[in-house]
Amino acid sequence: MAANTAKKKRNKRIILRIAIPLFISILVVGILFNQSFHPNAFRELHFTGRTCIGIILALLAFAIQNAATSIRFRRLSDNQISFRGGLRVQMMQEFTGIVTPSSVGGSSLVFLFLSGEGVNSGKAAAISFSTLFLDQLFLFIASLLLYLFAPHEIFLGGAELFGVGVRITFLILTIIVGIWTLILYIALFRKPQLIGAFIKGIFRLRLFRRYSHKVSALIHDLIMASGEMKKMPFSYWMELFFLSAVAWCMRFGIAIALIWGFSSANSGYFIAFLKQFIIWVTSLISPTPGASGLAEYMFQYYYESYFDTASIALVVAVIWRGISAYIYLLIGGWILSVKAPDMGLLTSTEHKRKHLLGAKRKQGKEELLS
């Protein structure tokens, strides 16, 4: 009975987490629709063969993105976890990224998800920081090249003043990502003790305090795992970087496939692809969960010219967010509600209950033996 009550409470929290970003997105899209809607807008929205192919390509890009990330988790764990296990970790990483502000992201809890797949805590932490390093490295290189060599007009969109502000923000964020990438490199390959100090700070938080007695062993395992990673050949890291690049390109390819499917334009798709970097990087400062609201607005702002009306651009934006973001809410919510005990995602009350049950079972075995 108590277990069912705890499960119901956990499911309610999951539903609330899912509802918040959805509500923000619906609110912003509703406001934008109110500003740009006219009665004849949807008469021009036709689901042609090209539209269906565009949606299929978007779903294919989604599948490749998650497969590449899952393989990366598997390779980083030295094949300790299965492809399916890597996929679960990827889904949970994206889920937490959607239900937390973009500035927080979903990478902060990856080590817990990896631990739930049987990876020891130190190696799980090393893998978490490695994936973060690879992602940030790709974003920094690509964003820097875009800022230096892409035409200035790519930032402008429909309003020059807003575009100039986005360009400045993009440069500042690119520099911050570069600094963060350098810190991760030093922490992983030069001074893993820095990550150890960071983890000690995390375990002082109330949420993780119950695990604080394990922090010394975790840091020891982390330093050992980091030492093993430093010995890996350059080709190993190039393979991982390639998987990271594929995952990011496919993530951005979802939007391009939908734009191609719903618009009648036959050119400008490379520029549309580059604009995905701008949308993603500027979304990092969003205070809303998963950049809800801001992402839809930026999509309409930068891609409105590809469609006949602004309303169609918003419809495509909603489909884009559904495939690239909100599908993770459904999958992650299901994993949390069904697999939480297996992945180590129990509340403090549930942990205490589990500990008491284990103690009672142990006591019962000892009495039988005696």
Side-chain angles (χ1 to χ4, degrees):
M1 183 69 180
N4 289 334
T5 303
K7 187 175 182 180
K8 286 179 181 179
K9 287 182 179 179
R10 185 174 67 240
N11 288 342
K12 286 180 180 178
R13 286 194 296 269
I14 293 169
I15 293 171
L16 181 62
R17 286 282 191 179
I18 293 172
I20 291 172
L22 283 175
F23 173 76
I24 295 171
S25 289
I26 292 170
L27 180 64
V28 172
V29 169
I31 293 171
L32 293 175
F33 262 122
N34 186 56
Q35 293 174 349
S36 59
F37 179 80
H38 60 87
N40 296 322
F42 294 106
R43 291 182 181 179
E44 300 169 5
L45 182 63
H46 302 293
F47 281 84
T48 62
R50 174 167 169 163
T51 303
C52 294
I53 293 172
I55 293 174
I56 292 171
L57 289 174
L59 292 171
L60 180 62
F62 172 84
I64 296 173
Q65 172 210 334
N66 290 283
T69 309
S70 302
I71 294 170
R72 188 178 67 173
F73 280 125
R74 179 168 166 76
R75 292 289 291 118
L76 280 166
S77 70
D78 298 324
N79 300 326
Q80 185 177 345
I81 62 175
S82 64
F83 174 81
R84 183 180 294 181
L87 191 60
R88 276 195 296 268
V89 174
Q90 160 63 3
M91 292 296 163
M92 290 308 304
Q93 174 182 239
E94 296 290 344
F95 173 82
T96 51
I98 296 298
V99 300
T100 57
S102 293
S103 54
V104 176
S107 302
S108 55
L109 294 178
V110 167
F111 77 96
L112 278 181
F113 306 141
L114 286 164
S115 297
E117 294 296 333
V119 181
N120 80 65
S121 56
K123 190 171 183 63
I127 293 172
S128 300
F129 282 97
S130 296
T131 57
L132 186 58
F133 166 72
L134 290 164
D135 287 336
Q136 298 301 306
L137 179 62
F138 174 78
L139 275 179
F140 172 67
I141 293 173
S143 298
L144 185 62
L145 291 174
L146 187 151
Y147 185 85
L148 293 176
F149 300 109
H152 175 74
E153 292 75 19
I154 195 174
F155 292 91
L156 299 182
E160 184 170 354
L161 184 61
F162 181 80
V164 170
V166 170
R167 181 178 169 85
I168 294 171
T169 303
F170 184 84
L171 175 61
I172 293 171
L173 290 172
T174 299
I175 293 171
I176 292 172
V177 169
I179 294 171
W180 179 226
T181 304
L182 180 61
I183 292 171
L184 287 170
Y185 171 78
I186 294 171
L188 271 171
F189 302 107
R190 301 298 177 187
K191 297 285 184 181
Q193 295 83 0
L194 292 176
I195 299 180
F198 176 75
I199 289 175
K200 280 185 179 179
I202 290 178
F203 277 86
R204 290 192 185 100
L205 298 176
R206 184 178 179 182
L207 178 63
F208 303 110
R209 202 173 293 163
R210 61 178 175 268
Y211 302 109
S212 58
H213 62 285
K214 299 180 179 180
V215 70
S216 297
L218 188 156
I219 293 173
H220 175 266
D221 292 342
L222 166 66
I223 293 173
M224 294 294 291
S226 178
E228 292 175 6
M229 286 182 170
K230 283 194 292 186
K231 296 176 183 177
M232 300 303 290
F234 182 72
S235 59
Y236 171 81
W237 290 104
M238 284 301 297
E239 176 192 349
L240 293 173
F241 184 77
F242 173 75
L243 288 169
S244 303
V246 169
W248 280 102
C249 289
M250 290 299 102
R251 183 192 294 273
F252 296 156
I254 295 171
I256 310 310
L258 292 173
I259 293 168
W260 176 83
F262 281 87
S263 73
S264 56
N266 293 313
S267 61
Y269 294 108
F270 180 67
I271 296 297
F273 179 80
L274 295 180
K275 287 180 177 180
Q276 277 289 293
F277 283 93
I278 300 172
I279 293 173
W280 184 267
V281 172
T282 52
S283 294
L284 292 175
I285 59 173
S286 174
T288 59
S292 302
L294 177 63
E296 289 84 357
Y297 173 78
M298 294 288 285
F299 187 97
Q300 186 203 28
Y301 176 80
Y302 276 115
Y303 296 125
E304 184 177 341
S305 61
Y306 286 83
F307 305 99
D308 296 326
T309 66
S311 296
I312 295 177
L314 274 174
V315 171
V316 178
V318 172
I319 298 173
W320 165 63
R321 287 290 281 174
I323 295 175
S324 65
Y326 295 131
I327 191 171
Y328 293 116
L329 292 177
L330 299 176
I331 298 173
W334 176 79
I335 293 174
L336 270 182
S337 62
V338 176
K339 300 286 186 180
D342 299 328
M343 299 190 74
L345 301 173
L346 299 175
T347 64
S348 57
T349 304
E350 290 168 321
H351 272 286
K352 289 176 183 176
R353 186 177 294 109
K354 186 178 180 182
H355 176 74
L356 288 172
L357 286 172
K360 286 180 180 178
R361 286 171 184 168
K362 186 177 179 180
Q363 184 180 357
K365 288 180 181 178
E366 290 175 350
E367 288 176 354
L368 284 172
L369 290 171
S370 60

